[in-house]
Amino acid sequence: MPAALTLPTRAQFAAAALAMAAVVLASNILVQFPINDWLTWGAITYPVAFLVSELVNRPHGPQQARRVAWVGFAVAVAASLVLAPARIAIASGTAFLLSQWLDIAVFDRLRHGTWWRAPLVATLLAAVLDTAVFWSIAFAGSNDPWVTWALGDLGVKLVLGVALLLPFRLLVGRSAALYTRSG
């Protein structure tokens, strides 16, 4: 039987919401700085947003993960409107909400399977949606090489989605095993 979901403490909720906001804001700023024609610095930071919501979702459930996403979203978009171009803030906000809702829903649906399946599948599906929405809104019609940046961004999100399984497992510890179906 799966472990019961618990409410996060105020400190846990605040830490998760601030982490979410920081990741999204940093990504919105860093996406403006290309590494090359295939990648921007924002691609490296953004996948951590999926990790944050999944670390909240595992012990506290989808309702709390959505709360963290909403608060992180509000703070990040408000700050992004000041620190990044409006098109990036709007694209980021739209892509963020859609991809976080998908990530949280898929994770919740798969939470009782093998410990790695929920975070892996949720992150990979959400990464595809986030990439398609963000890049088509933020850069379509620009002279920037946004299609190749989008492809590079997606590649990094997919690779980091797999790589972040280790920190996920370490951070949720043995509690992840409680959510796995027995034999």
Side-chain angles (χ1 to χ4, degrees), residues 126-171:
V128 170
L129 178 62
D130 181 81
T131 300
V133 172
F134 174 79
W135 290 97
S136 63
I137 293 172
F139 290 97
S142 75
N143 291 328
D144 294 317
W146 69 273
V147 172
T148 56
W149 285 343
L151 293 172
D153 179 83
L154 180 58
V156 169
K157 285 177 184 169
L158 298 179
V159 167
L160 287 178
V162 172
L164 289 173
L165 286 174
L166 179 60
F168 175 82
R169 179 64 171 177
L170 293 173
L171 290 168

Side-chain angles (χ1 to χ4, degrees), residues 77-101:
V77 170
S80 292
L81 285 168
V82 174
L83 299 171
R87 65 183 166 76
I88 289 178
I90 292 166
S92 172
T94 304
F96 175 82
L97 285 179
L98 293 173
S99 66
Q100 283 295 313
W101 275 205

Side-chain angles (χ1 to χ4, degrees), residues 28-118:
N28 288 350
I29 293 168
L30 293 171
V31 75
Q32 299 171 74
F33 300 99
I35 296 171
N36 55 35
D37 283 346
W38 286 89
L39 207 54
T40 71
W41 287 105
I44 297 166
T45 55
Y46 190 75
V48 177
F50 299 122
L51 176 64
V52 171
S53 67
E54 291 160 2
L55 287 171
V56 173
N57 200 339
R58 175 62 77 192
H60 306 299
Q63 181 179 6
Q64 297 305 315
R66 282 190 291 273
R67 283 184 61 222
V68 164
W70 270 115
V71 172
F73 161 80
V75 171
V77 170
S80 292
L81 285 168
V82 174
L83 299 171
R87 65 183 166 76
I88 289 178
I90 292 166
S92 172
T94 304
F96 175 82
L97 285 179
L98 293 173
S99 66
Q100 283 295 313
W101 275 205
L102 179 62
D103 180 80
I104 292 165
V106 169
F107 185 97
D108 188 52
R109 192 165 191 80
L110 300 175
R111 75 181 314 113
H112 300 297
T114 307
W115 74 266
W116 55 266
R117 188 174 298 134

